[in-house]
Amino acid sequence: MPLGLTPGIQLYSVRDQMAKDFEGTLAAVRGAGYLKVESASLPKKPASEIRKALDQAGLKCVSSHCSFTDVTKDLDATTEFEKTIGVSYIICPGPGRRNPPSAGKKVGPLTIDDWKYNAEEFNKTSERLKKAGITFGYHNHWAEFQPVDGKVPYELLLELCEPDKATFEMDCGWVRVAGQDPAALMKKYPQRFSMLHVKDFHLPPNVSFATHEEAKVTELGRGSIDYRPIFAQAVENQKITHAFVEQEAFDIPWQESLKVDADYLKNLSI
């Protein structure tokens, strides 16, 4: 696998399967060739039970996705839970708002002030988690690349989040859906990314920003994204600690799909 990394997977990939058979799903993930996982959409169980199931499956949970509320208002409880599981990273996969709307009220896109608020909160969270021995980071989707008042929110976060405390987990698939180049982002921002999400889409040609309907999920190596230049750039100016497959949907049997992804990464040369 590139960069000498151990095969990893984001457990959101098997959210439906975990809900039906948690232990059996973890065993199948290990059987497909993964040794590390990043948590998301876990069943509602005590952290000790989740840790036990992971250990029994031979999987190490090195990172967890936690909501904006989890990493701001509920950070103490979140930290205690995640430390029991054994993570080194806590990642927020979406932004909050400075002034959350009341329930049922229609909301528009985040403002630049909202994005500045996110950076402020992420810096506070990063400081607190650093004291607990955990690195905080942010994970992108596609909306962070839609300009707001002439600014790209993702680049604003990169500028305002303190690099000695906060890291970024680049979802390379969503970056490409947004019409951006993961390698170019890494080149522009040295040493800011420590983890990658690795997924593939069939993307229409010559589209600068694909819609969800236009971006069709598929297995690694079967879509439009070539990961060789992405990993090659990572070698040049990043220190990537983990790369997680994320298979957001399946149109072939899920265990077969996960193995296709694992084999792609194991055989990828740069």
Side-chain angles (χ1 to χ4, degrees), residues 80-100:
E80 182 180 354
F81 187 94
E82 299 300 342
K83 286 193 79 169
T84 299
I85 292 178
V87 306
S88 302
Y89 294 87
I90 289 177
I91 305 297
C92 183
R97 293 175 182 267
R98 191 181 293 275
N99 298 301

Side-chain angles (χ1 to χ4, degrees), residues 100-112:
S102 55
K105 184 178 179 181
K106 187 176 181 179
V107 296
L110 271 69
T111 66
I112 283 298

Side-chain angles (χ1 to χ4, degrees), residues 52-230:
K52 182 179 179 181
L54 288 163
D55 290 345
Q56 287 178 338
L59 296 170
K60 182 172 177 56
C61 185
V62 295
S63 177
S64 286
H65 274 203
C66 300
S67 71
F68 184 83
T69 299
D70 289 338
V71 302
T72 53
K73 295 181 174 60
D74 300 332
L75 185 59
D76 289 342
T78 298
T79 303
E80 182 180 354
F81 187 94
E82 299 300 342
K83 286 193 79 169
T84 299
I85 292 178
V87 306
S88 302
Y89 294 87
I90 289 177
I91 305 297
C92 183
R97 293 175 182 267
R98 191 181 293 275
N99 298 301
S102 55
K105 184 178 179 181
K106 187 176 181 179
V107 296
L110 271 69
T111 66
I112 283 298
D113 185 59
D114 284 326
W115 286 108
K116 290 179 179 178
Y117 166 71
N118 277 275
E120 293 164 10
E121 292 299 304
F122 293 160
N123 283 330
K124 294 175 190 174
T125 295
S126 299
E127 181 69 32
R128 290 173 63 185
L129 284 178
K130 190 174 183 180
K131 293 175 181 176
I134 296 173
T135 300
F136 174 78
Y138 184 77
H139 168 279
N140 65 279
H141 288 84
W142 54 269
E144 293 89 342
F145 297 93
Q146 290 187 304
V148 179
D149 296 338
K151 296 181 182 293
V152 177
Y154 194 63
E155 299 207 28
L156 186 67
L157 288 180
L158 280 158
E159 292 166 11
L160 296 180
C161 289
E162 298 176 23
D164 61 328
K165 300 184 183 74
T167 190
F168 284 79
E169 177 180 62
M170 186 192 294
D171 189 309
C172 302
W174 287 124
V175 169
R176 285 282 287 108
V177 169
Q180 305 296 312
D181 179 1
L185 272 174
M186 284 191 270
K187 191 172 184 178
K188 185 174 181 179
Y189 295 98
Q191 309 301 330
R192 297 306 306 278
F193 305 99
S194 60
M195 296 190 286
L196 303 176
H197 268 205
V198 183
K199 64 180 62 161
D200 209 349
F201 292 96
H202 291 293
L203 298 172
N206 304 318
V207 172
S208 61
F209 200 112
T211 66
H212 285 162
E213 293 75 22
E214 291 172 322
K216 303 294 185 183
V217 173
T218 189
E219 284 71 35
L220 292 170
R222 297 181 174 181
S224 305
I225 304 176
D226 182 358
Y227 275 92
R228 289 171 295 181
I230 296 171

